[in-house]
Amino acid sequence: MTSSVDSLIVGRVIGDVVDMFVPVANMSVYFGAKHVTNGCDVKPSIAVNPPKLTISGNPDEFYALVLTDPDAPSPSEPSMREWAHWIVVDIPGGTNPTRGKEVLPYTGPRPPVGIHRYAFILFKQSGPVGQIETPRSRANFSTRLFAEHLRLGLPVATVFFNSQREAMKKR
């Protein structure tokens, strides 16, 4: 699992979004047939709908998932860092986000300029969190503050992809 941390450091997910952590859970993410691996490219057109995402663990364990863009609106000037794209809590281990409670509905990547990073951050909960407030805005979200507020500790798994605006089709 060391190589997965290395790619998170090189991709600046560790640093810009989360602090250093040791992965202790497995999370697999697919947009259709596209398997998401750290630093891979995903076109916005294939990520319009939520991915198929599975989490390791036992059904009596609960997880929280955050999908965030730390490069909003522009990687060179991320004045809206982070942009929250999806938040789900109370996901039973060994299942997927459809079994949890959606706090913020999924929105796919829509990078206006440059290459953006999109990070799936998974936290293990100490138990069910129940009802929580929906963030007032998707802009300027902080994964660290979210985790602190819910007493989640450090992430247990993370995977990120890159995405950029697709060229308009000629008519």
Side-chain angles (χ1 to χ4, degrees):
M1 289 205 180
T2 307
S3 61
S4 64
V5 171
D6 290 346
S7 59
L8 295 170
I9 293 168
V10 171
R12 296 184 340 272
V13 172
I14 291 179
D16 287 351
V17 183
V18 295
D19 296 323
M20 178 62 84
F21 72 98
V22 175
V24 293
N26 290 315
M27 171 173 58
S28 92
V29 181
Y30 284 85
F31 286 107
K34 175 73 173 180
H35 181 220
V36 177
T37 57
N38 284 328
C40 74
D41 293 322
V42 173
K43 292 181 179 180
S45 59
I46 71 162
V48 172
N49 296 313
K52 180 181 179 207
L53 190 149
T54 54
I55 298 165
S56 64
N58 299 315
D60 59 344
E61 300 172 326
F62 293 94
Y63 294 86
L65 176 72
V66 173
L67 172 59
T68 184
D69 171 3
D71 300 317
S74 161
S76 60
E77 290 189 36
S79 61
M80 293 184 205
R81 175 178 291 164
E82 304 160 31
W83 189 274
H85 280 261
W86 197 20
I87 302 173
V88 185
V89 298
D90 293 345
I91 305 167
T95 68
N96 60 65
T98 62
R99 301 282 310 277
K101 294 177 185 158
E102 193 171 64
V103 176
L104 193 64
Y106 176 86
T107 60
R110 290 180 290 219
V113 63
I115 299 171
H116 288 235
R117 297 165 292 161
Y118 293 85
F120 291 94
I121 316 291
L122 185 68
F123 297 93
K124 187 174 181 183
Q125 300 171 197
S126 56
V129 297
Q131 280 299 101
I132 65 170
E133 265 186 55
T134 301
R136 286 185 275 251
S137 171
R138 289 179 183 266
N140 300 113
F141 178 79
S142 170
T143 299
R144 284 182 179 98
L145 289 177
F146 174 79
E148 184 179 308
H149 176 72
L150 293 180
R151 297 185 177 106
L152 298 173
L154 293 171
V156 295
T158 298
V159 66
F160 81 99
F161 66 91
N162 296 312
S163 192
Q164 61 186 314
R165 187 178 185 151
E166 292 179 80
M168 299 283 256
K169 292 183 178 173
K170 295 185 181 191
R171 294 179 180 217

